[in-house]
Amino acid sequence: MVAEGGVRLDRALVALFPDLSRARLQDLIREGQVRRDGTPVRDPAAKVGAGAQLALTVPQPKAAEPVAEAVDLPIVYEDDDLIVIDKPAGLVVHPAPGHESGTLVNALIAHCGASLSGIGGVRRPGIVHRLDKDTSGLIVVAKNDAAHQGLTSQFADHGRTGPLERAYAAVVWGLPQPRTGTIRASLARSRYHREKIAVVSDEAGRHAVTHYAVAEAYAEAALVRCQLETGRTHQIRVHLAHRGHPLLGDGVYGGAFRTKAARLLPDARDALTALGRQALHAELLGFSHPRTGQTLRFESRLPPDLTALVTALRAEAEGPACL
């Protein structure tokens, strides 16, 4: 193809091959898969002269590194570009040390099969955002590089200029005041506990914003709806704990509140024990389809374990013991 002159090679290729991400094109350049006037060029920043002939070779996607595993998936929506899953609690999203198999990625490789066209040159699903293992709810995954690029840009923009929406239901200890508000607190990996995220100064961490509103108040807890303006690791869990209202069942950020379970009535206490995880559910996910531009919006009801907890807390708040 013929490129316009005076631009970087990688930028010229983005204009000529919009279905490939710039990062993917840079990798192909470094691998020697791009020729300028018949000569391989390995520098993404190389300038392209007017009328230069550019040729790109895209190798066939390699086999996915994670193995395919047949796992039942609650599919909310699927087309040639993406798939939306209502992830159950306990399902790890991506293989990692200690969780090399049985993950959402393993399941999607088996489910999608040949329809995966290659994310970054590997035949695998494109993870755009993640949910903690013990967080349930909606997650979208790309099937090809173009969809991955389009969804990634929306999540990076955090809905400032597009229709991206992410909302969560959380059950927290106590009653947040004010009942509606915004938490702005920068986050970073804890210096003392590497598995934890901590609130830090703006200079030391990444900007993080969570909007919240109390939906129901109970005797010892509250159902809170949270809207993400940013998407940092453990953001909702850390922000609410920082405000003194950790999630019920959160052993990482709510350990100091563990004894509060004894103040619950038996039904609520039993429901919390049965939950066995942090009380957090991704209940709303909206975005623009990366190919058609159509706005897609999905909602997920609370799963049975969280419904049982909310029902018991609601009954406790309405009972004689709370009058």
Side-chain angles (χ1 to χ4, degrees):
M1 290 190 177
V2 179
E4 295 182 4
V7 298
R8 285 172 52 115
L9 176 60
D10 54 355
R11 291 187 181 276
L13 290 173
V14 166
L16 294 172
F17 303 96
D19 286 346
L20 295 176
S21 67
R22 185 177 176 188
R24 175 67 176 135
L25 289 167
Q26 289 173 339
D27 288 340
L28 291 171
I29 294 169
R30 296 186 184 100
E31 293 168 7
Q33 303 293 348
V34 176
R35 291 176 175 269
R36 181 181 57 192
D37 298 326
T39 302
V41 182
R42 295 179 181 270
D43 181 7
K47 294 297 183 181
V48 176
Q53 295 284 337
L54 298 179
L56 171 67
T57 301
V58 181
Q60 288 296 313
K62 304 173 185 176
E65 295 176 5
V67 299
E69 296 181 42
V71 177
D72 288 336
L73 291 175
I75 298 171
V76 176
Y77 174 87
E78 183 177 11
D79 62 23
D80 292 340
D81 299 297
L82 56 88
I83 183 169
V84 179
I85 304 293
D86 196 346
K87 186 185 88 68
L91 179 63
V92 175
V93 171
H94 200 280
H99 298 284
E100 289 83 2
S101 63
T103 70
L104 178 61
V105 166
N106 296 116
L108 287 172
I109 291 172
H111 172 79
C112 298
S115 69
L116 294 176
S117 65
I119 307 296
V122 179
R123 197 181 298 280
R124 66 184 177 198
I127 302 301
V128 179
H129 64 125
R130 302 193 187 195
L131 297 177
D132 295 337
K133 170 178 175 283
D134 290 327
T135 297
S136 54
L138 297 166
I139 182 170
V140 59
V141 181
K143 286 185 174 183
N144 54 59
D145 200 75
H148 188 248
Q149 179 183 4
L151 290 170
T152 298
S153 64
Q154 290 185 59
F155 277 82
D157 183 62
H158 304 301
R160 296 187 187 96
T161 61
L164 181 71
E165 288 184 274
R166 285 179 294 169
Y168 294 71
V171 184
V172 305
W173 289 112
L175 179 61
Q177 295 290 350
R179 291 195 175 202
T180 300
T182 298
I183 303 172
R184 291 183 173 86
S186 295
L187 303 176
R189 185 71 59 180
S190 171
R191 296 169 56 189
Y192 308 102
H193 303 282
R194 297 303 297 170
E195 74 281 3
K196 297 178 69 173
I197 303 297
V199 171
V200 297
S201 66
D202 291 343
E203 296 75 20
R206 302 181 72 187
H207 177 67
V209 180
T210 303
H211 306 285
Y212 73 88
V214 174
E216 296 182 14
Y218 312 120
E220 300 290 341
L223 174 63
V224 178
R225 296 234 147 72
C226 299
Q227 189 107 17
L228 291 183
E229 187 173 310
T230 56
R232 311 305 181 199
T233 301
H234 298 179
Q235 178 175 317
I236 292 174
R237 297 166 64 189
V238 177
H239 271 178
L240 290 170
H242 178 64
R243 281 290 186 90
H245 301 285
L247 275 61
L248 272 67
D250 192 339
V252 177
Y253 300 105
F257 284 69
R258 197 171 289 123
T259 57
K260 291 199 70 170
R263 299 172 62 176
L264 299 175
L265 293 181
D267 285 351
R269 191 163 59 245
D270 291 345
L272 177 56
T273 300
L275 181 69
R277 65 179 179 100
Q278 68 260 11
L280 186 62
H281 178 69
E283 63 179 358
L284 173 66
L285 178 62
F287 55 89
S288 174
H289 193 286
R291 180 173 54 83
T292 68
Q294 178 187 1
T295 296
L296 301 178
R297 195 172 187 271
F298 306 96
E299 295 186 41
S300 170
R301 295 181 178 179
L302 292 180
D305 57 355
L306 268 176
T307 297
L309 176 62
V310 167
T311 300
L313 290 169
R314 190 180 292 144
E316 176 176 312
E318 296 171 350
C322 299
L323 295 178

